[in-house]
Every structure is written in C-alpha cells, then in structure tokens.
Amino acid sequence: MTAASPDDAALQALTERVRALMTKAYPGWAGGLASVGQGLEAAVFRTELPPFGTVAVKAPWRRYPGGSYGAGVDCRALLRQERVLAAWAAAAGLPVARPLALHETDDQDLLVSAYVEGDDRPPDPAGLGALLRRLHAAPPPELLPVVHGPSGDFRTALAARIPDRLDRVERLAGEALAADRSRLDAGRLRAALPVRPGRLLHMDFRAANLRCRGGAIRAVLDWSNAAIADPAFELARMHEAGTLTDAVLDGYGDRDWAARVPPAARILYHPDAALMFALVFRLGAPDPERAAGATERARALLAELPAALERQASA
C-alpha cells in the first residue's frame, strides 16, 4: 500500500467484498465478520464457519499493493504461498494456523484458516529461538517462494533488490546514501553472497505474527516474506529489527552465528534489512524517527561494503 494504514471506509469496503464472497461460497454461513488484524498487505477477520468452527479469513486490501512491497507484487501469489507453507509447516510438526480453503475471484481473494486463540503475553524468548532453530533445521519444501523473483535464484533476487531499495530510499530521503554506486552493481553483489544449503526462512518472525498463550507459541502466521536461503539472512533481519536478543539466541543455540558468515555477505544481509525498514517507516507504517534511524543505519553499512567486497575478492 502507499499509505500508512487503511481508513474506516477502506476497511468497510473490504468487509463488504469479503462478506459477498463468503456468502456465495458458503450458503449456510451466518454472515458475521469481526476485524481482528490489519497489516500492510491484508486484513484478517474472525468468523464462525460450519463445519470448520472458528476461522480466520485473510483478505488482501488489493491484489497489487505497491508501496513498500514494490511494484508487481501479487497478493494472490502470496496467499497461494501461505497456504502451501502453512500446510508444509503443519506436516513438519511446527505450530501454524491450518489452512482450510483458498478463494480467488476478480473482486477479492481470501484465505480461510483455522483460528488460533492467543493472549496478551509475548512469546518466551528461548522458545522463540528454539522454534526458529527447528524451522531452519527442517529440509525445505519443494516451493519457489515469491521473493525469489522471476529467476528463481534468491542470490540473484537479493543482489538486484539492494540497489533497487537504495534507489527508492534515496528518492524518498532526497539524498544519496552511498558514496560510490559503481561498487553496488548486482553482479558483484551476487558474487559476494555465499552458496550455502538453503533452508526455509519466515523473514518476519516477530510477536505480531505469532499466536501465543502463556508465552508458548501456538501458531506462526503470515508467510508472505518467506525465502529459501542462508539462515543467517533471517538472523540478520531480526538483528536489524531488534528482536534477536541473547535470550532468543540461547534458545536458537548459537550466539556466534555472525562469526561464521563471510564479512561481505554479512554486510549485504544487514543493509537489505535496514533499507527495507527505511521504506516501511516511510510508506507502510510512517514513523519519521524510525525511518531516519533505519536510513542512517543503511548509510553506515553501505559505507563499509566496498572494503568488505575488496577483502572478500582478494581472500
């Protein structure tokens, strides 16, 4: 989306589209919809749906959200991916909201999943780290995540994404963040990324996407940003978000993860996240202070990148 969050009129319009689709798809449905969550990409409703019981209905605001997601991102593809990955995670013994049905129409798409109750307590950090380790240890599913792009190769997609995100942040900030853009061509960046066994990464592992009760994680939600790549990439994203605490790493079982990542790769993983947050806090969830902080963090990381690339090339 191009604005912070939808207004009441947008939510009402979405609710009516969802109600119309549900009424057609489920003739015995009573029609009640309770809004239980709103994100940049979609809103979530709770309803009673025989014979499934209480369900969550995830409905994108629009098929192509734009904004911090970038041009061409298709929410229909993201819903399809979420259905597949949630089913895979459930089969792997990971806590998820079980997908029940996917509906696609010209007016509105939506994903129906089992509703998982939670409470207001945050996830236990050690439990969060242990669950993240289980995810990273599991053999990945046979799936090409949306974020991998047309090439299907995540290293290619990431190497192209960093200059693109930098261009967008610089336009929004009205200033240059990288002193020498010639060092940031996609081919050179891709060559700096390690070839490692890929694992499924959730890439948005935070409290808003977890259903917890008593600190125990009962479901991981929203697989829109998932990738199959180096687990260190997810840890770097969490570090930039401030969610990778020592307690989480103790549960994960590896406080020294960063020491084993090649320096240039580490300095690529982190600015990708910093630039993403600089976009989100300008376009998706405006917060000038956090946008400025993420921008300055990206500037500092980009200043270190040329030397790191030179060291890695000569090693």
Side-chain angles (χ1 to χ4, degrees):
M1 298 189 311
T2 55
S5 58
D7 57 22
D8 291 342
L11 179 60
Q12 181 61 34
L14 178 63
T15 303
E16 292 307 315
R17 294 197 303 272
V18 171
R19 182 173 287 116
L21 194 161
M22 292 286 289
T23 299
K24 183 176 181 179
Y26 303 101
W29 178 58
L33 285 173
S35 175
V36 294
Q38 298 179 32
L40 304 180
E41 159 206 333
V44 180
F45 303 89
R46 184 183 65 236
T47 189
E48 297 298 320
L49 182 62
F52 302 120
T54 306
V55 301
V57 180
K58 182 174 183 179
W61 298 101
R62 53 179 61 89
R63 182 165 175 182
Y64 298 98
S68 57
Y69 276 86
V73 173
D74 184 354
C75 284
R76 176 172 292 177
L78 295 178
L79 288 184
R80 290 175 177 175
Q81 172 174 288
E82 183 156 351
R83 178 180 63 170
V84 170
L85 291 182
W88 170 87
L94 300 170
V96 291
R98 182 168 54 92
L100 301 171
L102 176 63
H103 298 277
E104 300 174 354
T105 72
D106 291 339
D107 293 330
Q108 183 66 51
D109 295 341
L110 55 85
L111 177 66
V112 180
S113 304
Y115 186 80
V116 180
E117 288 283 359
D119 58 26
D120 294 331
R121 288 186 58 180
D124 169 66
L128 188 153
L131 177 57
L132 189 63
R133 170 64 85 177
R134 287 173 59 198
L135 175 65
H136 291 173
E142 293 291 332
L143 173 81
L144 183 62
V146 173
V147 75
H148 286 218
S151 73
D153 176 60
F154 184 70
R155 293 168 67 228
T156 298
L158 179 59
R161 189 169 77 183
I162 291 171
D164 176 68
R165 283 181 169 174
L166 177 58
D167 285 341
R168 298 171 68 202
V169 172
E170 287 183 335
R171 287 197 298 270
L172 291 167
E175 59 176 325
L177 301 185
D180 185 359
R181 288 297 299 270
S182 66
R183 306 287 189 97
L184 300 179
D185 66 279
R188 191 175 189 188
L189 297 183
R190 185 185 183 280
L193 293 169
V195 179
R196 293 184 163 189
R199 292 292 184 264
L200 182 65
L201 316 180
H202 181 272
M203 295 308 296
D204 203 6
F205 219 70
R206 56 192 174 96
N209 289 328
L210 303 171
R211 283 289 178 271
C212 304
R213 184 170 289 279
I217 299 171
R218 302 185 66 206
V220 180
L221 310 175
D222 193 356
W223 296 82
S224 297
N225 295 302
I228 295 177
D230 179 3
F233 182 57
E234 178 146 46
L235 299 179
R237 170 76 63 87
M238 293 176 67
H239 175 87
E240 293 302 318
T243 56
L244 194 67
T245 64
D246 285 345
V248 170
L249 285 173
D250 286 341
Y252 190 78
D254 188 2
R255 281 201 184 191
D256 297 325
W257 65 276
R260 289 183 290 278
V261 182
R266 187 166 66 250
I267 296 177
L268 283 170
Y269 292 164
H270 288 267
D272 177 74
L275 290 165
M276 181 204 71
F277 289 127
L279 288 170
V280 167
F281 295 135
R282 282 182 170 85
L283 297 175
D287 184 325
E289 184 175 350
R290 297 180 76 181
T295 301
E296 289 309 306
R297 171 66 173 162
R299 189 198 307 274
L301 290 164
L302 290 166
E304 298 177 37
L305 185 56
L309 290 171
E310 292 291 345
R311 287 195 301 272
Q312 183 156 318
S314 61

